[in-house]
Amino acid sequence: MDKERFYIDLTIGRRIFDTSKQSEWTIEEWLVWIGEPEDHANLAFNLLEDDTLHLKVSSIYYNESNNHMYVVFEATNKCEKDITLESGTWKVDDTFFELPNMLPIHIKANELKSDIEGNVAHMFMQDAICMEFSIFEAKTRKLLRELAFEVKVYH
């Protein structure tokens, strides 16, 4: 089974910053880059919306106490059978995480699950996040879909 691949560019229409030169940025450039707290709290976007599954990132946040980046999802199983959503490899900027901290999620038929959380030991994403997921039929463990998302978050 081939992975279904999706590319999402959240930078369209936003100012371009050269993050390789952050040490040279002015205070004004840093303030624009950082933005307002509400800009970060509402980093939400759809990953997938089709006849079988709705998958959305409802927020991304950083926990400075453990240096982890958290991604919170919501998923709606639109099928008539229960499924299991399992996380595969994640890549944040240039760092790969083979086993992100995310338990397999059982989603009943026609059920919405919110507050699904995964995290990796990475702080302050500079550019993009790539996430892979596998969807299994819960009862038989038959692989139904493999999904790969590349999301460009910052220039």
Side-chain angles (χ1 to χ4, degrees):
M1 173 178 295
D2 290 336
K3 272 188 191 144
E4 298 173 59
R5 299 192 175 277
F6 302 89
Y7 180 75
I8 301 165
D9 189 345
L10 301 176
T11 66
I12 295 171
R14 292 177 47 199
R15 180 174 168 189
I16 296 174
F17 288 90
D18 184 352
T19 56
S20 68
K21 297 182 180 181
Q22 284 180 329
S23 61
E24 302 168 14
W25 286 2
T26 65
I27 292 172
E28 292 77 19
E29 287 173 314
W30 273 105
L31 291 174
V32 171
W33 168 258
I34 293 168
E36 298 298 324
E38 58 270 11
D39 296 337
H40 303 289
N42 296 321
L43 184 57
F45 50 91
N46 283 334
L47 291 173
L48 178 66
E49 177 70 61
D50 66 18
D51 293 341
T52 62
L53 183 67
H54 172 79
L55 187 60
K56 176 182 178 178
V57 171
S58 51
S59 71
I60 297 176
Y61 68 92
Y62 304 96
N63 184 328
E64 292 182 15
S65 67
N66 66 3
N67 293 328
H68 281 220
M69 180 182 84
Y70 288 78
V71 182
V72 182
F73 302 93
E74 67 179 46
T76 303
N77 175 9
K78 298 180 181 181
C79 298
E80 295 301 321
K81 55 189 165 198
D82 295 1
I83 62 170
T84 301
L85 173 70
E86 292 187 7
S87 183
T89 302
W90 286 16
K91 180 182 169 194
V92 181
D93 300 324
D94 294 322
T95 306
F96 285 91
F97 300 92
E98 293 301 324
L99 295 171
N101 299 318
M102 183 174 168
L103 296 173
I105 306 300
H106 179 86
I107 308 173
K108 294 180 181 177
N110 300 304
E111 178 184 29
L112 164 67
K113 282 268 190 177
S114 55
D115 297 328
I116 300 167
E117 193 170 82
N119 71 82
V120 292
H122 189 84
M123 285 291 289
F124 304 115
M125 176 178 29
Q126 297 293 311
D127 186 11
I129 184 169
C130 303
M131 300 172 287
E132 295 180 349
F133 297 95
S134 296
I135 311 294
F136 296 92
E137 184 177 346
K139 192 178 242 184
T140 65
R141 291 286 301 157
K142 176 185 173 192
L143 180 63
L144 300 174
R145 299 175 84 173
E146 289 185 297
L147 308 169
F149 300 96
E150 182 177 342
V151 183
K152 178 123 174 102
V153 181
Y154 302 112
H155 288 287

